[in-house]
Amino acid sequence: MAVKTITIDVESYALLSRHKKAGQSFSQVIKEHFGRQPTVRDFLAGVRASHSSEDALREMELQVKTRQRHPARAVIR
C-alpha cells in the first residue's frame, strides 16, 4: 500500500488522537470519519428495499419537492 506523509498542527493531532481507538491507525480514523458518504442513490435503494406503501412514497416525494421550493434554514442562536 502506498503512503503519503502529511503535516498537521498540534491541535489537529490532538483532535485526531481523541478519535483513535486502541489498535486503530490514524488512516483508519480518517477513513471512518471522512470516508465514503451516503448518496441519494444509496437513500433511494434503501427506500425501495423498505417496501414502503405508495402513499408513503408519494408523501416523501412531496416533502422533497417542498424542500426544493423552500429550503430548510439552520437556526442561528
Side-chain angles (χ1 to χ4, degrees):
M1 170 178 26
V3 296
K4 293 281 187 176
T5 301
I6 62 171
T7 302
I8 58 175
D9 61 31
V10 174
E11 182 182 2
S12 298
Y13 179 83
L15 289 168
L16 191 59
S17 292
R18 276 188 241 147
H19 290 333
K20 190 172 175 289
K21 299 172 187 120
Q24 192 176 35
S25 71
F26 283 112
S27 291
Q28 290 169 325
V29 174
I30 292 168
K31 289 174 190 174
E32 183 177 294
H33 290 275
F34 300 104
R36 183 180 180 279
Q37 299 295 311
T39 64
V40 172
R41 181 175 288 163
D42 296 334
F43 172 75
L44 291 174
V47 169
R48 288 186 191 104
S50 73
H51 305 292
S52 299
S53 70
E54 287 297 319
D55 288 339
L57 293 173
R58 273 194 295 279
E59 190 61 34
M60 284 185 239
E61 186 174 1
L62 177 62
Q63 286 295 321
V64 169
K65 288 179 180 177
T66 300
R67 289 277 173 95
Q68 287 171 341
R69 287 190 299 264
H70 308 287
R73 305 227 186 267
V75 176
I76 300 173
R77 296 176 189 218

